[in-house]
């Protein structure tokens, strides 16, 4: 069999995607040539299997130098094959801008419709961070649950594709090499069968040793390496399970941490409390030799706790953390076994609680991996709990033209579908695409959370019924802005009676969402992400991670606050439930947004890149809350300043373009090139403010039109998402939805 002659599409065709009420899964289907030859995993060692996998690997070679952001081509190619090319309307330059905008919308939406899943959502690549897949590969190694061979090949290929020229890996695909990124990928590749005979591995090892060896990996890396048994547990500050048993008033009780940090700290305390570690296999022994500059047995582990590679440090560890951890480490030496057992029992129950409520998806990719290890250790490899975990690994694995990666969440389904739905309505095109509109509504309807967790107050949870998640109904964690976007979209579609609906997201279903949003408002008038702020801001001094900022406690965010103001306002247009409370909440929310505006008129974006994202939310929030726009007089000073800021950043070609470095450095950093997504956010904001300078807006629209491809798709440019100040994350849908939304707004206003 000669696979060398086959085009990449032959291999892409073996990767089949499906979505069941948002639950995403990539499966491999053997090509005809291999059916009958490969019948079990061991058959991949046959010559035909080896030949196939080698060629399969080559079909996913990707040149990071052109653009480290892959364009989700595998999924788009397969949809295109199934449903055919979208209908393309002809456009030519002699038409007016408005006419060309309409054609662009028709082409853009008919392309995007080809990507909509039968269940109504849009699936897409949600990769970007490089530190996620190592957790899952380590889990698969310890629990002896290997991935299918083709998946292993694609995971490795993805890492090779994203290796930097200096031999290392970054925290994310656009990042510079770090010890954390490099050590984690090195270990992953070794587990997946690579060794130092490969020159690329050698370059990676050189990077690690040149920078002081794995002793210098930051805290999360020390944890993972300890579980893998290639770093001593003594080299970690104690992750005490007993902390869960602190009295509730203690300000740094882990129950008060930001939920992502809390749900990661939780299984970490299990692993530390039980000193979970892999067996001393030959691979583990070799890694102990390969990762360090000194002999493993001679390492001073106590000293190693404080070691970290300078290049990795984004958020330096504060002296208060060291003071507190000295006390905690002291306790570890003298701890009572009885109390440890009791604390561990609570941790085990809490892990089971999170697993059961999220139907084994877990809040995010990090605790999916660590919980899997804990459940395997606690309940055993044959337990239903462990098997349920393994089934969910697929929810997090995504295949694109650069190989397989672990997504930053189990997808961004609700978030993307909500925005697509709003863009379609604003362009007034729901009658042009009735099936798409109907399916959008169906997905929003079927993703509203239908349950509360049992015993949630025992485990630091809250009600969730009636709220919306970021991804799927099974995931089930409620988020302020997702609830608001879900509610807003549902209400917009409710008011369009011509859209066919099976169910109706009626007022009784919306009341609990409104109640929850009102309850979630913080003292400063703003909204946080998942929960109300529970701990004082200063506990950020106890952040040991080095790689991320703002992980210790919930903070109030411009984006979440603006979205909540908009969701609540939309609700008041249709219903009079709790009108007074909502009005008061919106007024307080507006004050919060005003207080967050920077002196130059911009807002910092915490979850998107960056000031154009934040300023879009700032402007929409304030206008919704009653600030004046430009029409018929002078706008409010805040709106004027914000628009002036945006105008000052428009580039000569009509675009806006920001690098993710804006988020990292907290100052506006230009991208080398104009970006359609930034341009769309800036234009949406200016048009909402009814800015009188038409030339500025038209130039921006021209720029977006000039980038649209002949299929109706838009190109994948720089990365557009971010979290915790320092890690970039891919939002594949943004390149389609936001340009279309901006063009739609332009089209309707003119
Ligand atoms: C997300 C994804 C969605 C995002 C928005 C809804 C867009 C935002 O407006 C609020 C915050 C939220 C929910 C968010 C928070 C942080 C997440 C969960 C992520 C960026 C996806 C991955 C990230 C998570 C923390 C990754 C694990 C790493 C840690 C540092 C804990």
């Amino acid at each position: 069999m000669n696979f060398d002659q086959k085009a990449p599409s032959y291999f892409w065709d073996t990767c089949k995607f499906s979505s069941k009420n948002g639950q995403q899964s990539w499966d491999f289907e053997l090509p005809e040539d291999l059916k009958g030859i490969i019948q079990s995993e061991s058959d991949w060692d046959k010559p035909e299997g080896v030949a196939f996998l080698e060629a399969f690997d080559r079909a996913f070679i990707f040149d990071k130098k052109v653009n480290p952001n892959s364009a989700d081509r595998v999924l788009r190619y397969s949809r295109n094959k199934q449903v055919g090319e979208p209908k393309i309307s002809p456009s030519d330059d002699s038409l007016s801008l408005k006419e060309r905008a309409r054609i662009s919308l028709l082409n853009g939406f008919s392309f995007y419709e080809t990507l909509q899943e039968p269940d109504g959502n849009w699936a897409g690549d949600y990769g970007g961070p490089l530190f996620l897949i190592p957790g899952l590969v380590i889990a698969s190694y310890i629990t002896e649950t290997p991935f299918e061979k083709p998946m292993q090949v694609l995971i490795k290929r993805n890492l090779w594709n994203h290796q930097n020229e200096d031999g290392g890996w970054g925290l994310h695909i656009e990042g510079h090499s770090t010890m954390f990124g490099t050590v984690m990928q090195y270990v992953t590749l070794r587990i997946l069968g690579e060794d130092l005979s490969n020159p690329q591995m050698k370059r990676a090892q050189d990077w690690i040793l040149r920078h002081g060896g794995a002793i210098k990996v930051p805290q999360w890396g020390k944890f993972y390496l300890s579980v893998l048994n290639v770093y001593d547990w003594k080299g970690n500050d104690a992750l005490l399970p007993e902390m869960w048993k602190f009295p509730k008033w203690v300000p740094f009780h882990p129950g008060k941490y930001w939920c992502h940090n809390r749900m990661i700290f939780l299984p970490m305390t299990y692993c530390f409390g039980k000193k979970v570690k892999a067996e001393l296999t030959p691979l583990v022994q070799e890694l102990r030799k390969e990762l360090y500059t000194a002999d493993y047995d001679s390492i001073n582990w106590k000293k190693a706790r404080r070691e970290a590679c300078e290049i990795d440090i984004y958020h330096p560890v504060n002296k208060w953390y060291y003071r507190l951890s000295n006390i905690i480490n002291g306790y570890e030496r003298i701890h009572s076994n009885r109390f440890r057992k009791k604390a561990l029992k609570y941790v085990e129950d809490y892990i089971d609680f999170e697993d059961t409520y999220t139907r084994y998806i877990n809040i995010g990719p990090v605790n999916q991996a660590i919980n899997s290890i804990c459940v395997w250790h606690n309940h055993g490899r044959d337990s239903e709990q462990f098997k349920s975990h393994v089934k969910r690994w697929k929810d997090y694995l995504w295949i694109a033209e650069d190989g397989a990666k672990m997504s930053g969440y189990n997808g961004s389904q609700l978030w993307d579908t909500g925005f697509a739905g709003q863009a379609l309505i604003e362009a007034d095109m729901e009658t042009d695409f009735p099936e798409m509109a109907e399916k959008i509504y169906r997905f929003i309807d079927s993703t509203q959370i239908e349950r509360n967790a049992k015993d949630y107050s025992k485990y630091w949870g809250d009600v969730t019924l009636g709220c919306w998640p970021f991804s799927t109904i099974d995931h089930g964690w409620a988020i302020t802005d997702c609830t608001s976007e879900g509610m807003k979209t549902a209400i917009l579609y409710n008011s369009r009676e011509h859209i066919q609906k099976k169910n109706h997201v009626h007022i009784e279903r919306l009341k609990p969402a409104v109640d929850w949003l009102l309850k979630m408002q913080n003292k400063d008038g703003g909204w946080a992400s998942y929960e109300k702020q529970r701990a004082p801001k200063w506990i950020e001094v106890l952040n040991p991670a080095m790689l991320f900022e703002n992980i210790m406690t919930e903070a109030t965010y411009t984006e979440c606050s603006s979205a909540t103001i908009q969701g609540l306002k939309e609700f008041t247009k249709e219903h009079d439930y709790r009108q007074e409370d909502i009005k008061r909440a919106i007024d307080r929310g507006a004050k919060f947004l005003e207080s967050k505006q920077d002196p130059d008129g911009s807002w910092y974006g915490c979850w998107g890149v960056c000031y154009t994202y934040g300023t879009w939310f700032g402007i929409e929030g304030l206008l919704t809350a009653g600030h004046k726009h430009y029409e018929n007089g002078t706008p409010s000073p805040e709106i004027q300043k914000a628009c002036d800021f945006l105008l000052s950043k428009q580039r000569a070609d009509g675009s806006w373009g920001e690098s993710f470095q804006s988020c990292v450095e907290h100052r506006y950093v230009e991208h080398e090139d104009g970006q359609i997504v930034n341009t769309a956010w800036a234009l949406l904001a200016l048009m909402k403010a009814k800015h009188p300078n038409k030339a500025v807006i038209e130039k921006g629209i021209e720029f977006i039109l000039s980038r649209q491809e002949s299929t109706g798709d838009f190109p994948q440019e720089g990365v557009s998402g971010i979290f915790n100040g320092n890690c970039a994350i891919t939002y594949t849908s943004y390149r389609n939805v936001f340009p279309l939304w901006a063009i739609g707004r332009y089209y309707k206003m003119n």
Side-chain angles (χ1 to χ4, degrees), residues 101 105 109 423 426-428 687 701 739-749:
L105 287 167
F109 280 119
E426 191 156 344
D428 252 344
M687 287 189 280
I701 296 288
L740 291 174
W741 198 345
I743 298 169
R745 188 167 286 182
Y746 171 79
Y747 175 70
K748 248 187 63 190
M749 285 176 72

Side-chain angles (χ1 to χ4, degrees), residues 120-187:
N121 86 95
W122 276 269
D125 187 341
Y126 196 48
L130 292 174
F131 64 92
L132 303 173
I133 197 77
L136 202 62
V137 170
I138 290 174
S140 88
Y141 179 72
I142 294 186
T143 64
E144 296 175 72
T145 317
F147 296 102
E148 296 166 89
K149 254 296 162 29
M151 186 56 91
Q152 293 186 25
V153 168
L154 291 190
I155 292 173
K156 284 198 280 183
R157 175 44 56 201
N158 183 253
L159 298 185
W160 294 133
N161 284 333
H162 288 284
Q163 187 173 25
N164 288 331
E165 289 209 336
D166 62 5
W169 283 268
L171 186 62
H172 57 91
I173 52 173
E174 289 204 25
H176 61 80
S177 299
T178 59
M179 184 61 81
F180 186 49
T182 310
V183 165
M184 296 309 287
Q185 310 316 327
Y186 184 89
V187 159

Side-chain angles (χ1 to χ4, degrees), residues 6 15 35 51 72 144 146 242 245 271 294-295 306 330 357 365 378 382 415 543 575 581 584 604 631 646 670:
K6 307 270 189 201
C15 306
K35 286 195 178 140
D72 222 2
E144 296 175 72
E242 288 86 339
K245 289 283 167 188
C271 294
D295 182 39
R306 297 282 175 269
Y357 178 66
N378 187 29
D382 295 324
W415 188 246
N543 176 358
H575 309 290
D581 295 338
R584 227 174 304 122
Y604 176 79
E631 213 171 52
L646 289 175
E670 292 282 350

Side-chain angles (χ1 to χ4, degrees), residues 126 129 131-132 220 258 260-261 264 363-366 407-409 412 415 419 470 479-482 528-530 545 548 551 557 559-560 606-608 613 617 722-724 727 729 731 734:
Y126 196 48
F131 64 92
L132 303 173
W220 284 18
W258 181 44
H260 276 278
N261 191 27
I264 292 170
I363 194 171
V366 181
S407 310
Y409 220 77
S412 52
W415 188 246
F419 282 145
F470 178 65
I479 303 174
T480 57
D481 52 0
C482 302
S529 59
Y530 293 73
F548 310 110
I551 60 166
Y557 299 107
E559 296 98 309
C560 299
C606 291
W607 309 110
Y613 186 67
F617 275 102
I722 193 89
F723 56 87
N724 302 103
C727 191
I729 185 159
Y731 284 83
Y734 284 12

Side-chain angles (χ1 to χ4, degrees), residues 435-690:
E435 276 173 42
M436 173 154 89
E438 198 188 306
K439 277 157 71 184
I440 288 172
Y441 189 80
R442 205 189 313 150
F443 190 73
I444 301 283
D445 162 35
S446 65
T447 306
Q448 189 183 18
I449 304 170
E450 78 300 14
R451 65 206 147 113
N452 285 320
K454 228 173 100 210
D455 292 336
Y456 61 77
S457 52
K458 199 168 153 195
Y459 299 110
W460 300 90
D462 206 325
V463 290
T464 42
L465 181 119
C467 297
W468 273 271
F470 178 65
S471 55
T472 61
I473 188 165
D474 282 355
H475 181 286
W477 276 81
I479 303 174
T480 57
D481 52 0
C482 302
T483 299
S484 304
E485 300 296 350
M487 179 160 84
K488 193 170 154 202
T489 315
I491 294 170
L492 286 172
Y493 280 69
N494 282 344
S495 64
R496 304 293 197 279
E497 271 146 25
H498 54 274
I499 299 177
Q500 298 261 339
K501 302 173 192 101
K502 252 208 229 130
N503 293 322
H504 195 86
V505 187
H506 51 70
I507 168 92
E508 291 309 316
R509 285 176 58 184
L510 295 174
K511 280 181 185 170
V514 170
D515 291 341
W516 185 76
L517 288 171
L518 290 174
K519 188 166 113 182
M520 285 298 130
Q521 190 166 27
N522 287 289
K523 276 208 202 93
D524 63 3
W527 279 268
S529 59
Y530 293 73
E531 292 163 342
K532 221 172 152 166
Q533 272 174 305
R534 297 173 175 181
K537 270 203 185 109
W538 62 257
I539 77 156
E540 188 61 18
V541 301
L542 304 180
N543 176 358
M546 292 177 187
L547 308 154
F548 310 110
E549 66 181 13
N550 274 338
I551 60 166
M552 293 304 289
T553 166
E554 275 281 15
T556 36
Y557 299 107
T558 299
E559 296 98 309
C560 299
S561 306
S562 164
T564 305
I565 290 173
Q566 294 175 55
L568 289 173
K569 184 72 183 192
E570 201 63 42
F571 177 81
T572 59
K573 291 186 196 157
E574 302 283 321
H575 309 290
D576 53 16
Y577 177 69
R578 296 188 68 178
Q579 286 275 357
E580 276 308 306
D581 295 338
I582 295 179
K583 189 177 168 324
R584 227 174 304 122
I586 292 180
D587 289 347
R588 284 179 57 212
K591 293 256 156 6
F592 167 79
L593 290 180
E594 288 164 20
S595 75
K596 277 283 194 182
Q597 190 173 25
D598 284 341
D600 66 359
S602 69
W603 281 267
Y604 176 79
C606 291
W607 309 110
V609 175
C610 175
Y611 289 94
T612 41
Y613 186 67
T615 305
W616 172 50
F617 275 102
I619 288 182
E620 294 256 6
L622 287 184
L623 290 171
T624 308
H627 271 233
K628 271 186 72 184
H629 48 58
Y630 279 85
E631 213 171 52
N632 314 322
T634 24
S636 77
E638 289 80 7
I639 295 296
Q640 180 155 19
K641 252 170 86 178
C643 289
D644 288 348
F645 166 80
L646 289 175
L647 293 195
S648 76
K649 297 297 178 196
Q650 190 177 31
R651 299 149 74 114
D653 61 2
S655 70
W656 281 258
E658 258 187 293
S659 149
F660 80 93
Q661 280 294 345
S662 276
C663 310
V664 177
E665 297 176 26
H666 289 253
R667 67 179 181 93
Y668 196 98
V669 182
E670 292 282 350
H671 201 283
E672 292 145 30
D673 205 4
Q675 302 286 304
I676 46 173
V677 174
N678 293 131
T679 306
W681 289 331
L683 289 174
L684 281 166
L686 289 170
M687 287 189 280
K688 188 73 173 195
K690 303 205 175 357

Side-chain angles (χ1 to χ4, degrees), residues 202-214:
K202 187 79 192 81
R203 285 172 53 227
Q205 189 203 27
D206 287 346
W207 195 100
I208 295 170
L209 299 180
R210 217 169 46 239
H211 291 85

